């Protein structure tokens, strides 16, 4: 957000920063089997049992293309199997937004959320040069949802994270990121023109 809010920063710097931070998070969560990176921060390498949940739900072998249907995975025999496997943890979600989508909607759901996230990111980035303060705020909301989805079902209906994500995308598509800046510039230009006109009218004529 700080990089995006600085007017001197170009979008390529923001892109690079987002990729680096996202790469570190993905590596720590999914490509570090021993949990060394997470453990070095003093946290539970299993993220409080989440990695075990992910392994169990993937082992139930749902339809890879369309999933089980809207909010249908955590019902019936599948729910009983999960509760039996982890009797001390009665969960009703995968504690991973992307995995939750895969279970309910398969790769079709993953493709949809990927398109939605790409659209939201593009909208936020496009406003950095025109209105960096507002664009950085929108980008912050967007990235919070993106990272929050690694450990919680952030894309479920009516969750706060899902609502904020939709607001960011809709606001960007309606040009909210740019409108106020353009009006401000026009108003500022009008004020300058009026000041110059008044200064010319009050200035005494010069005699040679």
């Amino acid at each position: 957000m700080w990089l995006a809010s600085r007017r001197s920063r170009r979008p390529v710097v923001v892109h690079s920063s987002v990729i680096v931070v996202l790469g570190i998070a993905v590596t720590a969560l999914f490509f570090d089997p021993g949990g060394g990176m997470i453990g070095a921060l003093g946290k539970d390498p299993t993220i409080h049992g989440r990695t075990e949940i992910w392994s169990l739900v993937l082992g139930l072998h749902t339809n890879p293309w369309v999933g089980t249907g809207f909010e249908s995975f955590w019902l019936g025999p599948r729910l009983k199997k999960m509760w039996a496997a982890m009797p001390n943890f009665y969960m009703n979600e995968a504690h991973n937004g992307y995995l939750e989508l895969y279970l309910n909607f398969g790769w079709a759901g993953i493709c949809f959320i990927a398109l939605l996230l790409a659209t939201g990111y593009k909208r936020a980035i496009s406003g950095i040069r025109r209105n960096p303060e507002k664009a950085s705020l929108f980008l912050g909301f967007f990235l919070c949802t993106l990272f929050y989805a690694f450990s919680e079902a952030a894309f479920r209906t009516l969750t706060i994270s899902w609502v904020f994500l939709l607001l960011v995308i809709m606001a960007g598509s309606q040009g909210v990121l740019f409108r106020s800046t353009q009006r401000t510039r026009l108003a500022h230009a009008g004020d300058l023109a009026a000041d110059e006109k008044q200064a010319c009218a009050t200035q005494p004529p010069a005699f040679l």
Side-chain angles (χ1 to χ4, degrees), residues 47-66:
I47 320 176
H48 301 287
R50 283 174 172 80
T51 55
E52 185 178 355
I53 295 174
W54 299 343
S55 299
L56 288 172
V57 295
L58 287 174
L60 295 180
H61 303 293
T62 58
N63 189 311
W65 299 109
V66 295

Side-chain angles (χ1 to χ4, degrees), residues 1-21:
M1 290 180 65
W2 176 77
L3 284 173
S5 63
R6 296 192 64 184
R7 294 184 181 274
S8 60
R9 297 295 183 181
R10 290 181 290 182
V12 65
V13 179
V14 182
H15 290 321
S16 302
S17 302
V18 171
I19 291 173
V20 169
V21 175

